[in-house]
Amino acid sequence: MTSRDFDLFTIGAGSGGVRASRISASTGARVAVAEERYLGGTCVNVGCIPKKLLVYASHYREDFEDAASGYGWTIGERRFDWPTLIANKDREIERLNGIYARLLDAAGVKRIEGRARVVDPHTVEVDGRRHTADNILVAVGGWPTLPAIPGIEHAITSNEAFHLKEMPERVIVVGGGYIAVEFAGIFHGLGASVHQLYRGPLFLRGFDDDVRTRLAEEIRKKGVDLRFDSSVSRIEKTDAGLFAELEDGSTLEADAILYATGRTPLSGDLGLAAAGVELDERGAIVVDEYSRSSVPSIWAIGDVTDRIQLTPVAIHEAMCLAATLFEDAPTAPDHENVASTVFSQPPVGSVGLTEAQARERFGEVDIYRSTFRALKHTLTENDERTMMKLIVDPQSDRVIGCHMVGPDAGEIIQGLAIAIKCRATKAQFDATMGIHPTAAEEFVTMREKVE
Ligand code: NDP
């Protein structure tokens, strides 16, 4: 034990910071965590959890229509009340905030409210009070970034979208990543007229091309005005709402313009550079494979390191860090084959390589792909189509990529992610009995190579 106040001082009580603090404290370490905003960070307060609740809410419209068009239901008057949804969502988030506080307290972690700054490699200051620690962990996450165009102050980000007083009837969503696609689906499902504008030729850059094109088609079929090669040059507030001028000279009107144009690490104004911590050009803390910064006593995990911006990744990095620092077991986080889902409508699930990545890495690859109308929709008027794809290395027969666009994609891909992690072969997929009738069984019954 040293003469310093704590063994670990964590800045930021989001998914990564809370987990690292709790697990470290459970080994007997003396731990404090400082948080200036809300317990649980982005995921709990303005990210994954409230987003998924809004996705559920927005899907009812299509479910009602499917039930009425094919399954014999007569649906009465339908009305959606945004304030009720937001109030119920807020209540749930408050409950989760309480759980996070209790978890930290039960683990013996000292909670400190306020903004922390690093004073030197072993000292943190919060509201004028200094705390010393053997190790400092920076887990402050990221924040939405917006391009500097005239009138951008009238736009909102996902942070504000969760707290709008009224549901906007006309929405422009700018961006083509996870958040843009998810919110376009949410507002469309809740009844708004939605334009989604993406600056490039095809959204969801980094995802498999078949996923991108299938999803674009499905989103358009549902009625979102999805435009590619399209950018806003100027926003103006008028009596009729918000007016957006696009780079092609056309105009759109809306009640809300949501920018989902990426998130940057929140590393500014923390005293990091002065303490000698190296940051990259985006402000991300540069860390080694064990999450250690250029200053040996300062560590960083989660979105502030800009490795993979996903909650389970931050939690994994946290677990590894606790093992490295307090369990005498230096553990490097494993960032290979991280599965993820875009909660678009329909959702996307992916694990492993895209076809383009696989061809680059392996040269020749075998592609299995199936596009079909789910059994449920044989009785409805919904012509949504599901797409599933497997990418196989012919040399080893290993399945190196699994991709899906369709209902429950996240639930299905989670299971397949275990198979990919276990380096399963196509022969093993084929030897697996399908569960009939499900959509997921298609993943074990695709026999014909398409390429
Ligand atoms: P992303 O990085 O996923 O997407 C940003 C989008 O904005 C891209 O389409 C990008 O285009 C576009 N863009 C960037 N700069 C500009 C600009 N100046 N003008 C116009 N468009 C621009 O960020 P998100 O904000 O959607 O989400 C941040 C991260 O949070 C994600 O990467 C993901 O890791 C995580 N997340 C995960 C979720 C999940 O797991 N379901 C849900 C939500 C977020 P281009 O491709 O051309 O660069």
Side-chain angles (χ1 to χ4, degrees), residues 9 56 59 72 87 110 119 175 185 263 266 273 281 283 286 310 335 353-354 370 380 394 415 436 451:
F9 193 105
Y56 283 132
H59 212 276
K110 183 175 170 57
V119 177
R263 298 172 58 88
L266 255 181
E281 67 286 351
V286 177
L310 295 173
H335 293 108
L353 303 178
T354 65
S370 175
T380 73
H436 189 68
E451 280 167 56

Side-chain angles (χ1 to χ4, degrees), residues 103-170:
L103 284 173
L104 286 167
D105 294 347
V109 176
K110 183 175 170 57
R111 282 192 287 125
I112 301 173
E113 275 178 38
R115 178 161 183 79
R117 289 191 85 251
V118 174
V119 177
D120 66 41
H122 291 287
T123 311
V124 176
E125 188 177 291
V126 188
D127 290 334
R129 188 146 177 230
R130 292 193 171 195
H131 308 268
T132 56
D134 288 350
N135 297 284
I136 296 170
L137 170 62
V138 186
V140 293
W143 202 252
T145 32
L146 297 88
I149 59 157
I152 194 70
E153 66 277 8
H154 303 303
I156 59 168
T157 70
S158 49
N159 286 349
E160 294 75 45
F162 288 113
H163 299 106
L164 293 174
K165 292 274 174 283
E166 285 171 27
M167 158 87 182
E169 284 174 14
R170 301 163 301 169

Side-chain angles (χ1 to χ4, degrees), residues 51 147 174-180 182 198-200 204-205 231 259-263 308-310 340-343:
K51 178 274 310 289
V174 180
Y178 285 80
I179 298 178
E182 292 177 345
Y198 171 58
R199 64 179 175 182
L204 288 178
R205 188 163 58 83
S231 295
Y259 268 73
T261 45
R263 298 172 58 88
I308 301 177
Q309 296 180 34
L310 295 173
S340 79
T341 282
V342 185
F343 293 97

Side-chain angles (χ1 to χ4, degrees), residues 174-177 196-205 212 220 226-231 247:
V174 180
Q196 184 183 349
L197 314 180
Y198 171 58
R199 64 179 175 182
L202 185 60
F203 65 0
L204 288 178
R205 188 163 58 83
R212 299 163 78 195
R220 285 182 173 135
L226 176 60
R227 302 187 189 185
F228 296 147
D229 294 313
S230 182
S231 295
E247 273 174 7

Side-chain angles (χ1 to χ4, degrees), residues 292-308:
R292 184 178 228 146
S293 80
S294 55
V295 174
S297 59
I298 301 183
W299 310 75
I301 56 169
D303 289 0
V304 77
T305 63
D306 206 14
R307 287 177 281 187
I308 301 177

Side-chain angles (χ1 to χ4, degrees), residues 48-64 80 85 89 92 162 182 185-187 189-190 343-345 347 408 410-411:
C48 329
I49 301 298
K51 178 274 310 289
K52 186 88 186 268
L53 295 175
L54 298 198
V55 170
Y56 283 132
S58 69
H59 212 276
Y60 280 100
R61 188 170 66 133
E62 192 173 299
D63 294 340
F64 293 144
F80 168 69
L85 171 62
K89 179 267 293 176
E92 173 57 10
F162 288 113
E182 292 177 345
I186 288 168
F187 283 120
L190 295 177
F343 293 97
S344 44
Q345 298 182 33
D408 302 320
E411 308 292 342

